[in-house]
Amino acid sequence: MRSRSKGEIRREELLRAALELFSTRGYDRATTREIAQRGGVSEAALFKYFPTKRELFMEVLRSFGPAELFDLLWDDLADRPADEALTTALTRHLDVWWEHRSWLRVLWQEAGRDDEAARELREQFRRFRRGVRRLLRELAERGEVREEAARAAAQVILMAIRGFLHRAARRAEKRGWPQARDGFVHGLVDVLLRGIAP
């Protein structure tokens, strides 16, 4: 394995500094001067790596975007009972959102004005939808859920998650994230399985 050059290490440090500042201050309020200082270089040096703030943001998006964050494991769910499989999948997904909520909030804001950020978020939802559909198909093949209801159940899951995430920050601060997440997940799985179980 080849060792990384100083330039590669510095570039990664700058990307992590930018990620932290974009996440905590937002794209507009995070300055390139602050990012450079946090990364241990001058602003001029930062611009040698990333000619514009927008290009820096786009590289942060490619390096730390939803496609990288939401690489969830699905294969270990196929053999679990339906309630456990769905509970685990939803909990994993929501925990990633919660852990990276500041950065994802910036992405939501930027998606309104940046096509690449919007594409990244849409792709994340598509990947999750594919994973949920695949899991529901496998459960249907085992006879644990009704096959004809699996597609509708996937849509219900996605809509419910979007609604929950929009409210989660306020509610979780009052109740605590694990309680808010678990209450939502168990309620959703219960409703789903009552509707799609054979």
Side-chain angles (χ1 to χ4, degrees):
M1 184 169 102
R2 79 171 182 87
S3 61
R4 296 185 304 156
S5 70
K6 286 183 182 178
E8 291 171 323
I9 293 169
R10 175 68 68 202
R11 187 175 188 281
E12 185 176 319
E13 289 170 350
L14 290 169
L15 286 172
R16 291 197 176 278
L19 170 65
E20 184 178 336
L21 285 166
F22 287 146
S23 297
T24 57
R25 298 179 52 92
Y27 175 79
D28 291 328
R29 290 179 45 223
T31 67
T32 53
R33 178 173 288 139
E34 290 174 308
I35 293 167
Q37 287 173 346
R38 181 83 43 104
V41 301
S42 68
E43 194 172 16
L46 171 70
F47 287 128
K48 287 181 182 174
Y49 288 95
F50 308 99
T52 67
K53 182 180 178 181
R54 197 78 199 151
E55 287 181 46
L56 173 59
F57 178 79
M58 291 288 94
E59 191 55 39
V60 170
L61 178 62
R62 284 186 282 276
S63 299
F64 303 103
E68 298 302 316
L69 300 178
F70 289 96
D71 193 15
L72 300 177
L73 297 173
W74 293 95
D75 294 339
D76 69 331
L77 301 177
D79 296 329
R80 299 183 188 195
D83 60 338
E84 183 183 335
L86 288 168
T87 298
T88 302
L90 295 175
T91 300
R92 286 176 181 171
H93 182 74
L94 291 172
D95 280 348
V96 172
W97 276 99
W98 182 251
E99 182 181 347
H100 301 284
R101 62 193 176 280
S102 297
W103 171 231
L104 291 164
R105 188 169 35 249
V106 172
L107 290 183
W108 276 112
Q109 293 164 355
E110 289 303 303
R113 61 183 174 185
D114 186 278
D115 290 342
E116 193 165 345
R119 261 194 311 279
E120 282 284 332
L121 285 171
R122 280 194 305 269
E123 178 57 24
Q124 184 279 315
F125 279 109
R126 274 195 288 272
R127 289 175 69 186
F128 183 68
R129 182 174 57 237
R130 284 193 299 264
V132 167
R133 285 181 178 167
R134 187 179 108 203
L135 176 60
L136 290 168
R137 272 196 311 272
E138 290 167 353
L139 294 173
E141 287 170 7
R142 292 195 334 234
E144 290 194 54
V145 301
R146 288 184 294 129
E147 190 173 340
E148 66 275 10
R151 182 178 282 277
Q155 289 303 112
V156 168
I157 289 170
L158 288 170
M159 288 173 48
I161 282 178
R162 285 182 185 174
F164 173 73
L165 289 172
H166 282 293
R167 297 185 318 272
R170 286 190 313 263
R171 197 174 278 178
E173 287 167 9
K174 292 177 185 173
R175 295 175 52 199
W177 172 248
Q179 292 82 8
R181 178 206 59 214
D182 290 348
F184 168 76
V185 168
H186 291 299
L188 178 58
V189 169
D190 185 52
V191 166
L192 285 170
L193 290 180
R194 286 175 193 239
I196 64 175

